Amino acid sequence: MTTPDLLLCLAAAILMFSGVLGCIIPGLPGTPLCWLSLLAAKFITFSHLSWNIVIITGIVCVIVEIVNNFLPSYFSKISGGSKLGGWGAFIGTFVGLLTGNIGGIVLGPFFGALAGELIHDASDFSRAVKSASYSFLGFITGTGLRLITALIFLVVLVKSFLS
């Protein structure tokens, strides 16, 4: 293995690992990092990735990121939620990460959205719970979509070396 191949393999591995984590941790562009891993792998001499696969996965990456950015606001709108609920879900995700456990990561967005909705309008608790639930559903759906895409990209990466 040549030095450029070794460096590209290392870059592809780091990008893929970071990308999969980024699908769960807000603020890291998970799917784009996974796609960059595929792009790096394209230039490794013993990789069998075609340009068609790199282009198709790039298009899929863009579509997933666009959909992911609209899901929380879409779910919030259909439930009658406010922008504060969406921001609360986002902030709650970071707070949940600080707990260091899966329960905090999963429940943080819900309680953050609930807090945001109650700040927006504390007089209607049931509306706040409904909106927080929908905001949480949007967050989970977007996270799931990104994670599934990242795992498919991981399979493509691994298969490019085994073919």
Side-chain angles (χ1 to χ4, degrees), residues 84-97:
L84 281 176
W87 276 106
F90 184 74
I91 293 167
T93 302
F94 282 111
V95 173
L97 286 170

Side-chain angles (χ1 to χ4, degrees), residues 5 7-21 29-44 47-51 53-54 57-58 61 149-161:
D5 280 344
L7 292 174
L8 286 169
C9 280
L10 183 61
I14 290 170
L15 286 166
M16 185 59 72
F17 179 75
S18 302
V20 172
L21 281 180
T31 315
L33 288 172
C34 290
W35 182 78
L36 286 172
S37 173
L38 294 175
L39 183 63
K42 171 65 183 133
F43 296 101
I44 299 171
S47 169
H48 299 286
L49 275 177
S50 70
W51 278 112
I53 295 294
V54 173
T57 55
C61 178
T149 304
L151 293 175
I152 291 169
F153 286 4
L154 175 61
V155 169
V156 169
L157 178 69
V158 170
K159 284 186 82 172
S160 76
F161 295 115

Side-chain angles (χ1 to χ4, degrees), residues 117-125 127-128:
E117 290 300 334
L118 290 173
I119 290 169
H120 174 73
D121 181 11
S123 67
D124 191 355
F125 185 77
R127 185 203 61 79

Side-chain angles (χ1 to χ4, degrees), residues 62-127:
V62 169
I63 291 169
V64 165
E65 287 301 307
I66 289 170
V67 168
N68 181 58
N69 285 321
F70 286 107
L71 277 175
S73 62
Y74 170 74
F75 277 95
S76 183
K77 282 181 185 178
I78 64 173
S79 71
S82 69
K83 287 188 179 193
L84 281 176
W87 276 106
F90 184 74
I91 293 167
T93 302
F94 282 111
V95 173
L97 286 170
L98 294 177
T99 66
N101 63 47
I102 194 72
I105 294 169
V106 171
L107 294 177
F110 172 79
F111 286 113
L114 181 62
E117 290 300 334
L118 290 173
I119 290 169
H120 174 73
D121 181 11
S123 67
D124 191 355
F125 185 77
S126 64
R127 185 203 61 79

